[in-house]
Amino acid sequence: MKEIEANKQAWDLLSEDHYHYYKKILEKKESIINRIIHNELGDLKNKKLIHLQCNTGADTVSLTRLGAQCTGVDLSPANIFYAKKLASDFNLKINFIESDILELSNVHQEKYDVVFTSEGAIGWMPDFDKWAKTVRSLLKDDGFFYVYDSHPFLLTLDESLLKDNQTVIKYPYFEKKPDVSDTIGGYASETKEATSYFWMYTVSDLINSLIRNGMNIEFFNEHENIFFNMGQMEQVEPGLFQYPFMKGKFPFSFSLKATVKKN
């Protein structure tokens, strides 16, 4: 798929910058997992966890330090190279796999207590049904899936106007064609010139794809803060940001937990 291949090449450009950025942080902090994720995941000690779309492994390192036995998966070969390097830097045993998530079941058949993905990940998936099928295939019968990401309501808005307290719909909520950008990066790297594709997703896309593939929704929580600074935001706590003038107005992020449906 040309869009997936373009995204792979785009993310490759960011990998080294991401590695250096997060290594500095993880030298000073045990974990970069924010409070919401940490509380909702619960105790990970000795849990077998697979981190989908792991980027250069900073969250995977954090989850390992919290007690999980981790495997990380990412589309980008450069991301996987630097994820392995990051784990080695901190003397951590983490398995990393280079794979398109939608094709992962063709090369990896292990089962896990926890399937995890977060923070700007799922909009890079063009096929939610196939994605949910992959999630289910990775889970033990008593395991759970967890995702924390940008709320699709937020993704409809013109991001350049939010800092001025303006909420203007720019991206159609029900659009199925990907949004095409000629740049990528900007939060842990300088912006790079590269074509990339991002797919809008709806709440029903997310929930129904999991239900269709044998999952029960344990919770769907909405949050008024987000995991990165969108521009002139206040950091309200480690890893969480907010516009004070938009507090309580609409959700910026969401989290979801799903378990395997019992027959």
Side-chain angles (χ1 to χ4, degrees):
M1 186 177 185
K2 71 173 185 178
E3 293 88 354
I4 297 294
E5 185 59 34
N7 285 347
K8 180 193 296 188
Q9 294 176 18
W11 282 101
D12 277 350
L13 297 176
L14 304 178
S15 301
E16 185 174 3
D17 289 349
H18 284 192
Y19 162 74
H20 290 295
Y21 177 85
Y22 286 112
K23 182 183 177 183
K24 288 180 181 179
I25 295 174
L26 289 166
E27 286 172 341
K28 299 175 182 178
K29 297 179 63 174
E30 185 72 8
S31 168
I32 61 170
I33 301 298
N34 69 48
R35 171 190 55 80
I36 294 170
I37 297 174
H38 192 281
N39 289 348
E40 292 182 339
L41 278 177
D43 185 5
L44 293 176
K45 188 174 182 181
N46 298 322
K47 294 283 182 68
K48 190 177 176 184
L49 180 150
I50 188 165
H51 179 189
L52 305 182
Q53 298 165 268
C54 69
N55 200 278
T56 52
D59 280 1
T60 326
V61 165
S62 298
L63 293 163
T64 302
R65 287 174 165 180
L66 292 172
Q69 300 167 7
C70 289
T71 294
V73 185
D74 200 86
L75 172 73
S76 159
N79 276 355
I80 292 300
F81 173 83
Y82 283 107
K84 290 178 178 178
K85 185 171 174 58
L86 191 66
S88 177
D89 290 339
F90 295 111
N91 298 310
L92 296 173
K93 184 179 179 181
I94 304 173
N95 180 38
F96 288 102
I97 302 168
E98 178 193 331
S99 178
D100 177 354
I101 298 303
L102 302 184
E103 305 299 330
L104 181 60
S105 59
N106 295 328
V107 297
H108 188 72
Q109 289 82 40
E110 289 189 39
K111 303 288 186 181
Y112 294 85
D113 300 302
V114 182
V115 177
F116 172 87
T117 193
S118 77
E119 300 188 355
I122 61 176
W124 302 96
M125 295 289 102
D127 187 333
F128 258 59
D129 199 61
K130 196 170 183 180
W131 169 81
K133 185 176 182 180
T134 298
V135 168
R136 174 63 188 92
S137 73
L138 293 166
L139 274 176
K140 295 179 180 179
D141 287 345
D142 59 350
F144 69 87
F145 169 63
Y146 179 86
V147 56
Y148 169 82
D149 216 321
S150 303
H151 199 288
F153 181 86
L154 173 69
L155 295 178
T156 66
L157 301 176
D158 187 332
E159 60 272 44
S160 68
L161 300 178
L162 288 172
K163 66 183 184 300
D164 300 318
N165 200 12
Q166 297 182 52
T167 52
V168 177
I169 299 292
K170 181 179 179 180
Y171 307 100
Y173 185 66
F174 295 104
E175 179 61 75
K176 295 306 178 187
K177 293 180 181 179
D179 178 62
V180 185
S181 176
D182 58 6
T183 61
I184 192 168
Y187 66 96
S189 168
E190 293 294 325
T191 300
K192 313 285 186 179
E193 292 186 5
T195 301
S196 62
Y197 298 84
F198 188 89
W199 286 266
M200 175 61 78
Y201 52 90
T202 68
V203 172
S204 56
D205 287 337
L206 176 69
I207 290 175
N208 291 336
S209 66
L210 293 167
I211 292 172
R212 283 194 302 269
N213 285 279
M215 310 284 286
N216 282 323
I217 308 303
E218 298 294 318
F219 62 69
F220 181 87
N221 293 329
E222 296 168 294
H223 312 284
E224 60 185 1
N225 43 39
I226 196 163
F227 47 88
F228 69 104
N229 189 342
M230 299 182 66
Q232 301 178 31
M233 293 180 116
E234 290 186 2
Q235 182 168 321
V236 293
E237 57 184 279
L240 293 171
F241 300 84
Q242 186 178 77
Y243 290 116
F245 47 81
M246 289 185 176
K247 182 176 174 61
K249 289 187 177 180
F250 63 85
F252 277 70
S253 60
F254 77 90
S255 53
L256 177 150
K257 180 179 179 181
T259 54
V260 176
K261 189 179 296 181
K262 302 299 189 290
N263 294 326

